[in-house]
Amino acid sequence: MGQEIRRTHFSAADFERFSAKLTDETASLRSLANAGGFQDARFIAGFELEAWLLDHAGFPNPVNEAYLRTLDDPLVVPELSRFNVELNAPPIEMGAGVLSAMEESLRVTWARCQHVAHGMDAVLAMIGILPTIRDDDLCLANISAMKRYDALNAQVLQQRKGAPIRIDIQGPDHLQTERPDVMLEAATTSFQLHLQVPFHRAARYYNASLITCAPLLAAGVNSPLLFGHRLWQETRVPLFEQSVELGGYAGLDEPSIRRVTFGRDYVTDSLLELFEENREQYPVLLPVQLEEAPQRFPHLRLHNGAIWRWVRPLIGFDGAERAHVRLEQRVLPSGPSVLDMVANAAFYYGLVHALGQREEAALPAMEFAATRSHFYAAARFGLEAELGWLDGHRYSASELILEICLPLARRGLLDFGLSSAEVEHYLGVVEARTRSGQTGAQWQLRQLEARKGDVHRMMDDYLENQRSGAPVHEWRVGC
């Protein structure tokens, strides 16, 4: 979805042509896989970080067009709203020093981005949902100046037959609202982790990535507030799902098919099953005729980019034009600190590798419905969730993370070739956060109470702690 398009209005013939190309490219992808065309057996890591541009009152600052022009960095790009940007990083092969390199890359890019923001009397922030955002900020006047976003908004509303977007989230408080557009999605910013995997093992790693969602998110929640309401520990999850609520060809009558989705089931044999599902179950949103060579699957990739699975399969190409597959783990929020996010990355990469290397059958022992329900429990309750595991037992999220998942993650990172010191440095942050119970979400709620409900003072404290670079479990609560 990162590519710009040239048109925003489409005819029935456009949809027919796109669908035909999508069918051809899906068949070509299967032929490539059957012919052994995916030969890259490396594991390669990467990430995307979505961030907020704020003014000095702590409100969203819709200046990303001027900001990106001044920054002039091809790795920092627009997001849906004019007050969000996305930071990308060059991919790094898994091995010794990979996490340190990721942290250094992110710190350097963040410092440069923050310097440019300060020169424009603005500030950058990393947080899942901005507590100070107002309903009026989420309007079409603040949509980024790119045709693809205008077209996406129009097509979502058209497929909904003009029905408004309805938000209904029940937590300690209850939020109900509705919008005539998709701009509520702009309130959700994430830290997305990529992992390129060998094609012949990709099904195992995809299933393993689904299983990691619950413990990973329980340890990383950072979005408890929206419009002054205390909702889920990771309110980003229901907000994103409801703000782009679209079904498949059967509309919303088929509950297992949604544009933002945990999925319908595990993969049985190959990631190709997901691309077949894309073609068979999801209407085309953006029927753009692309000039890119068909062997790069441009229409297949564009269509896949408009289906927001919490774990999404991606097709990419290296400098020699060799195709590869990678997984995009999308459950983590932005923030609270650079160190927290790299620690979360360590937890994911180690845990998914340990699970993906297991010699058991590709289909996990835990029922898919249970894996899905554990994900939503983690989003709602964070470290206080009760989660199941592959051994058939149930645990508190903290117990599961400390006793089972962190030891597995250590094993996985060591198998990737990382040193014991590097592994302990980053996983130690997750362990300390879990033992303290102080996630980003919990800190926000505690600090808001200490500030007697003053969300602006709480956000000032948040930004000051973020600037310090300290992980969230070390942030003080109180004045």
Side-chain angles (χ1 to χ4, degrees), residues 80-351:
L80 174 62
S81 79
R82 294 177 184 263
F83 43 75
N84 293 131
V85 293
E86 178 185 283
L87 286 65
N88 294 271
I92 310 172
E93 187 167 357
M94 293 299 298
V98 63
L99 296 172
S100 300
M102 285 179 67
E103 182 179 5
E104 177 65 15
S105 172
L106 182 51
R107 286 192 186 279
V108 169
T109 301
W110 184 258
R112 186 172 67 252
C113 290
Q114 194 71 274
H115 176 75
V116 171
H118 290 166
M120 298 178 62
D121 203 29
V123 65
L124 276 179
M126 301 177 283
I127 192 167
I129 294 177
L130 183 68
T132 55
I133 197 165
R134 301 156 297 191
D135 186 71
D136 289 348
D137 294 315
L138 297 166
C139 62
L140 286 180
N142 283 335
I143 198 169
S144 282
M146 300 189 73
K147 289 189 173 85
R148 74 172 186 266
Y149 293 129
D150 286 332
L152 178 65
N153 179 68
Q155 291 301 315
V156 167
L157 295 179
Q158 182 171 321
Q159 290 197 14
R160 288 178 58 84
K161 297 179 170 54
I165 303 288
R166 291 188 171 88
I167 304 299
D168 189 342
I169 306 173
Q170 177 75 60
D173 299 331
H174 189 189
L175 174 65
Q176 292 179 300
T177 187
E178 64 178 45
R179 299 285 311 182
D181 51 55
V182 301
M183 284 298 288
L184 278 165
E185 190 269 326
T188 67
T189 58
S190 60
F191 179 56
Q192 298 166 17
L193 297 170
H194 290 226
L195 181 64
Q196 180 181 321
V197 298
F199 182 81
H200 69 283
R201 298 194 70 85
R204 290 175 183 262
Y205 279 82
Y206 175 79
N207 293 340
S209 289
L210 293 175
I211 293 167
T212 67
C213 286
L216 180 66
L217 185 56
V221 288
N222 194 35
S223 312
L225 301 165
L226 177 62
F227 301 150
H229 292 71
R230 294 165 175 83
L231 301 169
W232 290 19
Q233 293 283 293
E234 191 54 38
T235 304
R236 212 182 94 258
V237 167
L239 181 60
F240 190 17
E241 291 191 348
Q242 294 179 30
S243 65
V244 196
E245 189 177 36
L246 279 180
Y249 282 105
L252 298 178
D253 294 332
E254 173 49 67
S256 68
I257 298 293
R258 290 293 186 272
R259 283 283 171 170
V260 185
T261 179
F262 192 77
R264 304 175 76 192
D265 207 340
Y266 296 119
V267 164
T268 303
D269 298 310
S270 164
L271 289 188
L272 296 175
E273 296 162 29
L274 298 174
F275 292 100
E276 294 282 6
E277 182 178 277
N278 288 356
R279 181 186 63 83
E280 295 170 358
Q281 300 293 339
Y282 291 94
V284 172
L285 269 185
L286 299 175
V288 182
Q289 301 305 302
L290 301 169
E291 298 176 359
E292 195 173 0
Q295 58 266 31
R296 289 179 60 89
F297 314 110
H299 301 85
L300 177 146
R301 289 160 57 210
L302 178 63
H303 186 54
N304 185 56
I307 301 164
W308 296 275
R309 291 181 175 89
W310 288 111
V311 178
R312 181 160 60 183
L314 299 172
I315 304 294
F317 297 87
D318 64 16
E321 290 300 293
R322 293 174 300 189
H324 65 253
V325 294
R326 64 184 188 274
L327 303 174
E328 184 181 50
Q329 175 55 276
R330 301 170 53 83
V331 304
L332 286 168
S334 178
S337 72
V338 169
L339 180 53
D340 280 307
M341 291 188 294
V342 178
N344 291 340
F347 188 28
Y348 169 63
Y349 291 136
L351 183 56

Side-chain angles (χ1 to χ4, degrees), residues 208 212 215-216 346-356 389 404-405 408-409 412:
T212 67
L216 180 66
F347 188 28
Y348 169 63
Y349 291 136
L351 183 56
V352 76
H353 189 49
L355 295 176
W389 193 244
I404 296 178
C405 294
L408 283 171

Side-chain angles (χ1 to χ4, degrees), residues 413-469:
L413 291 175
L414 290 172
D415 189 69
F416 270 140
L418 279 69
S419 69
S420 295
E422 186 176 13
V423 171
E424 293 308 317
H425 173 64
Y426 291 104
L427 292 187
V429 172
V430 178
E431 180 176 350
R433 188 194 311 148
T434 303
R435 291 191 185 280
S436 72
Q438 184 159 288
T439 58
Q442 282 298 94
W443 183 90
Q444 289 183 55
L445 293 171
R446 292 167 181 165
Q447 189 66 4
L448 185 63
E449 183 177 359
R451 291 298 192 186
K452 303 186 186 308
D454 188 333
V455 71
H456 289 277
R457 292 184 69 192
M458 184 276 283
M459 193 62 202
D460 287 343
D461 298 335
Y462 181 97
L463 292 174
E464 182 178 352
N465 279 293
Q466 190 169 91
R467 284 190 292 270
S468 77

